[in-house]
Amino acid sequence: TFTAQGVSTGPDIFVFRNMLIDAKNLIQKYPDYLLSHHLYASILYFLCEYNGEKENCQESLDIVLEIFEKMKKNNFVFSHPTEGLIFYDLLYDIPRVYDKMGETEKGIAFIKKNKKIFCGNNTFDCLNIEMLKKVGIQFYLFNDYENALEIANLILSRSDEYLLSVGGKISDKREAY
């Protein structure tokens, strides 16, 4: 059962613990498959987010940072399509975990330090609307309004035709505003 306080300590907590065990088994079976590591880190973050288990936050952060460093070491050349998906999740997840741990500044520093990695030209121009919204929300929530405004302007500068052609909605512009 989910409550306003998070996951109950009843049978649901066993479901999440079993998910952790399954993810750990997946890691053992496929140690080089980054998706299994990311899945494990995501479950840990979920437990941290909803049950306040801070040790899970730290472990989740350690794993996502390790995944990011592995990708960086390979110059962000992905050996499997899922690594591209994980990559964009990491750019969102790492600042979020830092924030949950009370280290918001480190999350913002991570985004700024790695801005050149997002699109390769030190901008956010190449990001799709969903990723722009994720990055913009991070800046906004962390009170970095100058960068949040840059992201909002990028979203607003996209034509309606473009938004519709990539699966976006006109309302994406209103959300950015």
Side-chain angles (χ1 to χ4, degrees):
T1 324
F2 295 94
T3 66
Q5 292 77 31
V7 178
S8 74
T9 55
D12 292 332
I13 199 71
F14 294 114
V15 171
F16 292 107
R17 295 293 179 201
N18 285 337
M19 287 171 62
L20 280 175
I21 292 168
D22 290 343
K24 198 68 143 165
N25 289 337
L26 196 60
I27 290 170
Q28 289 175 350
K29 190 171 182 177
Y30 304 103
D32 297 329
Y33 194 50
L34 297 181
L35 181 62
S36 55
H37 294 274
H38 187 257
L39 175 65
Y40 184 73
S42 297
I43 297 166
L44 287 172
Y45 178 78
F46 179 83
L47 289 171
C48 168
E49 178 75 22
Y50 292 99
N51 282 344
E53 297 179 16
K54 298 296 182 191
E55 64 276 0
N56 289 333
C57 265
Q58 184 61 56
E59 188 177 356
S60 177
L61 180 63
D62 293 345
I63 293 168
V64 293
L65 287 172
E66 182 180 333
I67 293 170
F68 183 80
E69 287 304 315
K70 283 180 182 179
M71 289 180 165
K72 190 174 186 179
K73 186 177 176 183
N74 291 331
N75 292 319
F76 301 102
V77 175
F78 306 129
S79 60
H80 193 274
T82 58
E83 291 179 5
L85 299 171
I86 293 168
F87 170 69
Y88 284 108
D89 278 350
L90 293 177
L91 297 174
Y92 175 70
D93 291 344
I94 292 170
R96 189 174 55 150
V97 178
Y98 271 126
D99 183 53
K100 183 66 179 173
M101 295 176 59
E103 300 177 4
T104 303
E105 327 67 53
K106 288 184 179 180
I108 288 294
F110 174 83
I111 293 173
K112 289 179 179 178
K113 177 182 175 187
N114 294 293
K115 184 177 181 180
K116 65 184 176 298
I117 294 169
F118 279 86
C119 295
N121 60 357
N122 209 28
T123 70
F124 299 113
D125 295 0
C126 71
L127 298 181
N128 66 30
I129 294 299
E130 287 304 312
M131 230 12 243
L132 282 171
K133 289 189 320 189
K134 286 181 178 182
V135 172
I137 286 168
Q138 294 296 317
F139 282 133
Y140 183 78
L141 292 176
F142 301 145
N143 301 320
D144 187 339
Y145 300 121
E146 184 176 324
N147 283 301
L149 185 59
E150 175 188 350
I151 298 295
N153 284 332
L154 274 173
I155 293 171
L156 293 171
S157 70
R158 303 284 166 94
S159 72
D160 294 349
E161 293 78 24
Y162 169 79
L163 288 174
L164 296 172
S165 73
V166 296
K169 319 177 274 314
I170 306 301
S171 64
D172 289 331
K173 286 187 174 187
R174 285 190 294 260
E175 289 173 20
Y177 184 69

